[in-house]
């Protein structure tokens, strides 16, 4: 069907068919016979070969044919511009990081389309080298079962600007990484169980939205770039040891982060030397930062970040200043609107939604553990409350507030896309609880009544 | 030691606990507080549809940490000294029962009362959460309950030592309240101060923390509820790296068991060997 549509487009183009029953038995053979602009349709079956696409062709799989690399090298290499690769299952690349064995490698294949492919047991998934204006859509990438240092990237862009990465599902690989590319759009992808869900290196003027980055070591690590915008992404359960950032900024300038959800990461947002240009500001607005060990972690030297209308909900430590200190060089409110802090204890007398007294992050215990991280082991102990109590009773012990939000929002702002599946009936929980009630009660009653019948209770 | 005698003394303790009403008051307070906490966390989840280890889970741990040691220590501390002061201990010992039976019976009787109230507290609030639906896993909830039960044994037996060794009930209550403050606040404060002044490394801080039963409970409960060891900072990472996930839990459980067995043995020996009454 796809073949006829394609051949109908161009009068001179022809369609070649590959299938286990002929006319072509190998994909490479058909490519050799095809001319630029032709379509090669591959029908179901397994093809144990390494395909090199060196002319502008549409390579379409029907009935999801399998290209099996048998554990050697790169499986599909596209070297011509404006190619299409669609509908294949590609498995068993090599395992060498030095030769960067990939399932699909586009080398100088600009304006190509890689669509609806399933990649399994691959080192690198889709590798775009000098292939700008490419579309990578609806692919599934499942990496090899390797230790993190031996893995390759799920999707890797190298000097491939204006590329669109859309609705892909990537699991068990290293990164989705963008090198030296600008004006890319990354939208609707899910990246999980890798190292960095998303990784920008020296890539300016980029946007990503509606993605889910979960269970990676780091949800997104954006480095040495500027003019980055991201919206409506979910960064959840990223739990790398010593990292575990929902998102990390390293030397990142002119960022706009809006309506993202950071939940259950070790650190929601981690800012390192960002912004680093003297005239640049980062704007972090309307994000929900909830249930992380640390909501946002910043160095005391960091300045020129604007946080407003964010909701900091039940992070164990809302804001960490690494090494202790304050964050007075940043702004925590704009036009009389600050952030929502779930540990805010003030009130809103005039009902305008803005708390009447400022929110001060000035926990003495937090200041101590920021400075002496070993003591974090005492977190949640009553001693932490005792220290807070002491610092409130004897203000001389009060630390300088890390954050002063003069206009704290009384209610959290939860963007509609993050609103509530309502928690449902939980059978196992109920069973456990009923056992917890019934069994001890039964024993207790037995014990109280023990011997009553035999001795004749008097 | 005859099981029947032990059971009878247990029964006497349980009945007295019920008659004294502390058991009921304690159960009701604990249940209501646990219920409120879990309910609060539930209403939060409604907003987000996702949750993790939040302050609410931490509050549940804190509730246990404040309530269970206090009640266990104080009931343990008055158990024998009170009867001694009233003279009922002599009356009891004049019956054909052994001292070991009296000690075991009293200990088990009080333990059952405290355990039942903890189970009721967790169970009743758990039923409400189960019907309403929550994201805290059932197994994690059960393990938290088990840890609380262990904590109760440990502090009850420490209370018993105080009770055996002090003549007056007032004195033993005073000592037990001091011990409560010591375990919850002073010892941690001491470790924190020492760490800051002497710049202690990760390992000493970890070992020192394990020397306190309430701290062992807290670390185990936090690690049970949170997927990340790093919630405890470098010390958590150290534990994970040196003992692994399961190893750390075994270590904490062993520490907890030691903290129950040793005080029980000391209390038992003190009561059966020191015949000064």
């Amino acid at each position: 069907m796809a073949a006829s549509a394609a051949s109908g487009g161009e009068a001179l183009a022809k369609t070649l068919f590959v299938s286990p029953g002929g006319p072509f038995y190998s994909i490479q053979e058909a490519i050799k016979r095809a001319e630029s602009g032709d379509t090669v349709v591959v029908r179901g079956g397994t093809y144990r070969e390494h395909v090199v696409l060196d002319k502008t062709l549409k390579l379409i799989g029907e009935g999801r044919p399998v290209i099996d690399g048998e554990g050697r090298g790169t499986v599909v290499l596209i070297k011509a511009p404006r190619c299409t690769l669609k509908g294949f299952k590609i498995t068993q690349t090599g395992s060498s990081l030095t030769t960067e064995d990939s399932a699909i490698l586009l080398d100088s294949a600009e304006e190509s389309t890689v669509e609806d492919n399933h990649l399994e047991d691959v080192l690198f998934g889709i590798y775009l080298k000098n292939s700008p204006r490419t579309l990578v859509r609806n692919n599934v990438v499942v990496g090899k079962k390797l230790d993190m240092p031996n893995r390759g990237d799920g999707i890797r862009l190298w000097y491939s600007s204006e590329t669109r990465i859309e609705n892909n599902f990537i699991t068990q690989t290293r990164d989705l990484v963008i090198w030296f590319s600008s004006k890319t759009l990354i939208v609707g992808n899910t990246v999980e169980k890798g190292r960095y869900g998303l990784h920008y290196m020296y890539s300016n003027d980029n946007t990503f939205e509606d993605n889910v980055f979960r269970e990676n070591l780091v949800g997104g690590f954006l480095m040495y770039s500027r003019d980055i915008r991201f919206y409506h992404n979910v960064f959840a359960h990223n739990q790398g040891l010593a990292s575990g950032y929902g998102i990390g900024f390293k030397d990142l300038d002119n960022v706009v982060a809006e309506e993202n959800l950071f939940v259950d990461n070790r650190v929601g947002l981690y800012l390192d030397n960002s912004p680093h240009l003297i005239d640049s500001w980062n704007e972090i607005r309307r994000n929900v930062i909830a249930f992380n060990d640390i909501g946002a972690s910043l160095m005391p030297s960091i300045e020129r970040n604007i946080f407003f209308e964010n909701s900091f909900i039940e992070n164990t430590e809302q804001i960490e200043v690494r090494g202790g200190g304050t964050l007075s060089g940043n702004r925590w409110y704009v036009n009389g609107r600050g952030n929502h802090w779930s540990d805010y204890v003030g009130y809103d007398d005039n009902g305008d939604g803005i708390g009447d007294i400022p929110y001060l992050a000035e926990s003495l215990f937090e200041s101590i553990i920021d400075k002496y991280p070993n003591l974090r082991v005492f977190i949640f102990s009553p001693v932490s409350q005792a220290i807070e109590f002491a610092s409130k009773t004897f203000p001389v012990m009060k630390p300088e507030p890390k954050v002063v939000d003069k206009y704290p929002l009384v209610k959290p702002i939860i963007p509609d896309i993050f609103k509530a599946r309502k928690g449902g009936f939980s059978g196992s929980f109920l069973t456990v609880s009923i056992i917890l009630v019934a069994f001890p009660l039964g024993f207790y009653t037995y014990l109280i009544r023990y011997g009553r019948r035999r001795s004749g209770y008097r | 030691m005859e099981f029947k005698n032990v059971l009878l003394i247990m029964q006497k303790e349980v009945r007295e606990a019920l008659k004294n009403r502390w058991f009921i008051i304690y159960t009701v307070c604990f249940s209501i507080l646990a219920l409120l906490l879990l309910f609060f966390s539930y209403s939060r989840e409604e907003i987000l549809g996702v949750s993790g280890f939040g302050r609410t889970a931490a509050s549940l741990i804190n509730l246990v940490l404040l309530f269970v040691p206090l009640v266990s220590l104080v009931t343990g501390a008055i158990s024998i000294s009170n009867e001694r002061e009233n003279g009922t201990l002599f009356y009891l010992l004049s019956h054909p029962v052994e001292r070991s039976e009296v000690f075991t019976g009293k200990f088990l009787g009080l333990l059952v009362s405290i355990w039942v109230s903890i189970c009721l507290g967790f169970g009743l609030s758990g039923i409400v959460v189960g019907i309403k639906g929550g994201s805290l896993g059932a197994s994690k909830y059960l393990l938290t309950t088990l840890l609380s039960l262990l904590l109760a044994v440990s502090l009850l037996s420490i209370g018993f030592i105080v009770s055996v060794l002090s003549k007056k009930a007032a004195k033993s209550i005073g000592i037990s309240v001091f011990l409560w403050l010591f375990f919850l606040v002073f010892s941690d404060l001491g470790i924190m101060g020492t760490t800051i002044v002497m710049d202690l490394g990760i390992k000493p801080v970890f070992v020192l923390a394990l020397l306190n039963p309430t701290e062992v409970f807290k670390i185990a409960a936090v690690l049970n509820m949170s997927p990340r060891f790093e919630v405890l900072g470098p010390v958590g990472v150290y534990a994970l790296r040196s003992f692994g996930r399961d190893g750390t839990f075994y270590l904490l459980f062993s520490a907890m068991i030691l903290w129950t067995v040793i005080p029980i043995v000391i209390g038992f020996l003190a009561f059966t060997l020191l015949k000064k009454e």
Side-chain angles (χ1 to χ4, degrees):
Chain A
M1 204 170 67
S4 60
S7 56
E10 290 173 49
L12 290 173
K14 56 184 188 294
T15 302
L16 294 82
F17 290 93
V18 184
S19 82
F24 290 100
Y25 298 95
S26 107
I27 301 170
Q28 198 59 55
E29 196 61 32
I31 292 171
K32 208 176 276 176
R33 294 294 180 80
E35 284 165 46
S36 230
D38 287 353
T39 301
V40 174
V41 173
V42 182
R43 295 198 165 132
T46 300
Y47 301 86
R48 294 176 209 288
E49 55 184 311
H50 293 72
V51 177
V52 178
L53 203 56
D54 48 6
K55 42 191 110 163
T56 301
L57 294 176
K58 287 196 171 70
L59 195 56
I60 310 286
E62 283 184 5
R64 200 161 299 285
V66 180
I67 308 178
D68 186 340
E70 298 183 300
R72 283 179 293 111
T74 289
V75 183
V76 177
L77 168 60
I78 302 178
K79 292 204 294 190
R82 292 178 296 284
C83 288
T84 298
L85 182 73
K86 183 178 175 184
F88 288 90
K89 176 174 176 179
I90 300 172
T91 63
Q92 296 207 69
T93 66
S95 305
S96 163
L97 283 172
T98 29
T99 53
E100 296 180 327
D101 296 341
S102 315
I104 303 168
L105 170 60
L106 288 82
D107 193 348
S108 309
E110 66 265 17
E111 293 171 40
S112 293
T113 302
V114 177
E115 197 174 5
D116 188 27
N117 299 291
H118 289 189
L119 317 181
E120 270 174 41
D121 194 17
V122 299
L123 189 69
F124 284 76
I126 302 168
Y127 192 159
L128 275 61
K129 216 181 248 182
N130 307 314
S131 302
R133 295 179 293 284
T134 292
L135 172 64
V136 178
R137 186 164 64 186
N138 296 342
N139 299 286
V140 175
V141 182
V142 183
K144 283 182 183 290
K145 283 205 175 71
L146 291 171
D147 289 340
M148 203 58 83
N150 300 326
R151 291 193 196 168
D153 298 320
I155 294 180
R156 181 184 181 98
L157 268 61
W158 183 269
Y159 287 107
S160 297
S161 294
E162 295 174 60
T163 289
R164 190 180 167 99
I165 314 267
E166 190 179 336
N167 292 343
N168 300 286
F169 180 87
I170 303 172
T171 184
Q172 208 180 299
T173 67
R174 188 170 62 188
D175 308 340
L176 192 178
V177 57
I178 317 292
W179 281 90
F180 308 114
S181 305
S182 54
K183 298 196 173 66
T184 63
L185 179 62
I186 298 173
V187 57
N189 302 281
T190 298
V191 188
E192 60 169 37
K193 301 188 178 90
R195 186 182 65 164
Y196 301 159
L198 179 64
H199 190 25
Y200 282 142
M201 291 296 274
Y202 307 101
S203 294
N204 304 329
D205 193 12
N206 286 304
T207 306
F208 62 102
E209 53 191 53
D210 298 311
N211 301 287
V212 176
F213 304 102
R214 62 182 181 220
E215 294 167 56
N216 302 289
L217 298 187
V218 171
F221 220 145
L222 317 182
M223 299 182 178
Y224 312 109
S225 306
R226 58 175 190 272
D227 301 315
I228 305 289
R229 299 159 297 274
F230 59 103
Y231 317 100
H232 302 155
N233 299 284
V234 175
F235 302 86
H237 320 301
N238 296 295
Q239 334 211 309
L241 207 62
S243 55
Y245 313 132
I247 200 155
F249 294 174
K250 166 82 183 139
D251 288 18
L252 206 67
D253 292 296
N254 288 344
V255 177
V256 176
E258 232 176 65
E259 300 202 342
N260 300 285
L261 174 63
F262 301 87
V263 68
D264 192 31
N265 305 288
R266 191 180 78 81
V267 178
L269 288 94
Y270 167 86
L271 272 62
D272 184 359
N273 198 24
S274 302
H276 96 297
L277 296 177
I278 195 77
D279 58 344
S280 130
W281 287 79
N282 291 334
E283 184 178 308
I284 295 153
R285 176 170 179 243
R286 288 177 72 91
N287 299 285
V288 178
I289 301 150
F291 302 118
N292 304 287
D293 293 353
I294 296 168
S297 171
L298 289 83
M299 290 281 200
S301 56
I302 286 182
E303 295 180 336
R304 300 187 307 282
N305 290 288
I306 312 175
F307 287 83
F308 72 112
E309 296 182 340
N310 299 292
S311 303
F312 289 85
I313 299 172
E314 291 205 23
N315 302 291
T316 307
E317 186 177 352
Q318 303 274 39
I319 300 279
E320 178 194 45
V321 185
R322 273 191 317 287
T326 71
L327 298 170
S328 48
N330 301 278
R331 288 174 62 185
W332 300 92
Y333 49 87
V334 169
N335 292 333
R337 286 179 72 76
N339 301 277
H340 170 77
W341 309 88
S342 60
D343 55 338
Y344 177 60
V345 287
Y347 48 85
D348 175 22
D349 197 25
N350 53 9
D352 61 353
I354 313 283
D356 294 351
I357 54 173
Y359 169 82
L360 303 177
E362 53 173 359
S363 151
L364 179 58
F365 182 72
E366 282 182 7
S367 306
I368 292 174
I369 60 176
D370 284 357
K371 211 161 175 186
Y372 302 95
N374 281 356
L375 297 178
R376 192 175 279 276
V377 73
F378 294 112
I379 204 159
F380 309 128
S381 293
V383 70
S384 60
Q385 278 100 316
I387 288 176
E388 284 322 312
F389 179 75
S391 96
K392 291 210 164 68
T393 320
F394 309 108
V396 66
M397 295 166 74
K398 247 186 199 175
E400 219 183 320
K402 292 190 271 193
V403 168
V404 180
D405 184 346
K406 280 193 190 159
Y407 306 100
L409 305 180
V410 176
K411 287 210 174 112
I413 300 175
I414 314 284
D416 282 343
I417 42 167
F418 301 136
K419 263 189 190 147
R421 313 176 288 268
K422 209 170 172 178
F425 175 86
S426 163
S428 58
F429 210 93
L430 199 61
T431 317
V432 163
S433 307
I434 288 174
I435 290 172
L436 277 179
V437 172
F439 192 70
L441 261 191
F443 181 69
Y444 203 64
T445 329
Y446 163 78
L447 199 65
I448 289 175
R449 299 167 70 99
Y450 168 74
R452 225 184 243 187
R453 251 163 295 152
R454 258 178 299 160
S455 60
Y457 195 72
R458 280 179 285 268
Chain B
M1 207 166 28
E2 261 193 66
F3 180 67
K4 211 184 118 195
N5 289 348
V6 172
L7 207 60
L8 276 172
I9 295 169
M10 261 176 89
Q11 187 184 32
K12 169 186 110 50
E13 282 301 323
V14 169
R15 280 190 185 146
E16 275 177 9
L18 208 56
K19 220 185 284 172
N20 282 343
R21 295 209 176 75
W22 66 260
F23 165 73
I24 296 169
I25 293 168
Y26 172 54
T27 310
V28 169
C29 287
F30 185 73
S31 307
I32 289 175
L33 284 172
L35 187 62
L36 283 177
L37 276 176
L38 287 172
F39 208 76
F40 185 63
S41 87
Y42 166 71
S43 60
R44 278 275 189 226
E45 277 153 27
E46 234 180 335
I47 305 173
L48 278 169
V50 276
S51 83
F53 183 80
R55 282 167 193 245
T56 316
S59 315
L60 191 67
I61 293 175
N62 258 301
L63 175 70
V64 174
L65 264 178
L66 291 174
F67 247 77
V68 173
L70 183 64
V71 171
S72 310
L73 271 172
V74 172
T75 44
I78 56 174
S79 61
I80 288 172
S81 58
N82 198 27
E83 285 218 41
R84 183 155 43 209
E85 211 174 306
N86 295 340
T88 48
L89 187 65
F90 292 109
Y91 177 67
L92 190 59
L93 287 172
S94 68
H95 284 79
V97 288
E98 289 170 26
R99 276 173 169 256
S100 59
E101 288 165 2
V102 172
F103 184 89
T104 316
K106 283 181 86 68
F107 185 83
L108 289 181
L110 286 176
L111 186 62
V112 165
S113 305
I114 293 174
W115 274 15
V116 166
S117 65
I118 292 174
C119 286
L120 284 182
F122 273 98
L124 290 174
S125 40
I127 287 177
V128 176
V129 175
I131 291 169
K132 282 283 203 173
S135 66
L136 198 62
S139 59
K140 288 184 174 180
Y141 195 66
L142 189 64
L143 196 59
T144 311
T145 316
L146 289 178
L147 284 169
S148 312
L149 297 181
L150 270 181
L151 180 69
V153 197
S154 168
L155 288 154
L156 184 69
S157 40
I158 293 170
F160 260 81
I161 299 181
V162 174
S163 196
V164 171
L165 295 181
S166 56
K167 289 205 176 80
K168 297 247 190 248
K171 188 176 161 194
S172 59
I173 291 176
I175 293 174
S176 65
V177 170
F178 171 77
L179 278 180
W180 178 70
L181 268 177
F182 177 79
F183 282 134
L184 286 187
V185 180
F186 296 152
S187 77
D188 289 358
L189 268 183
I191 300 173
M192 291 180 74
T194 318
T195 309
I196 292 172
V197 173
M198 295 178 61
D199 205 14
L200 288 182
I202 292 171
K203 207 171 164 185
V205 173
F206 185 56
V207 174
L208 285 174
L210 291 189
L211 293 180
N212 178 344
T214 60
E215 199 58 51
V216 176
F217 162 82
K218 189 218 74 187
I219 294 176
V222 169
L223 294 184
N224 168 41
M225 290 220 217
S226 161
R228 286 179 295 276
F229 275 52
E230 276 194 318
V231 70
L232 297 175
V235 175
V237 178
Y238 164 78
L240 183 62
R241 290 231 168 103
S242 2
F243 309 109
R245 180 165 278 275
D246 293 341
T248 310
F249 274 109
Y250 291 137
L251 181 75
L252 291 168
F253 259 104
S254 324
M256 205 74 211
I257 299 286
L258 275 184
W259 263 111
T260 59
V261 171
I262 293 173
I264 291 175
V265 170
I266 294 175
F268 183 83
L269 291 179
F271 187 69
T272 47
L273 298 181
L274 303 175
K275 305 197 173 185
K276 62 185 173 191
E277 289 89 0

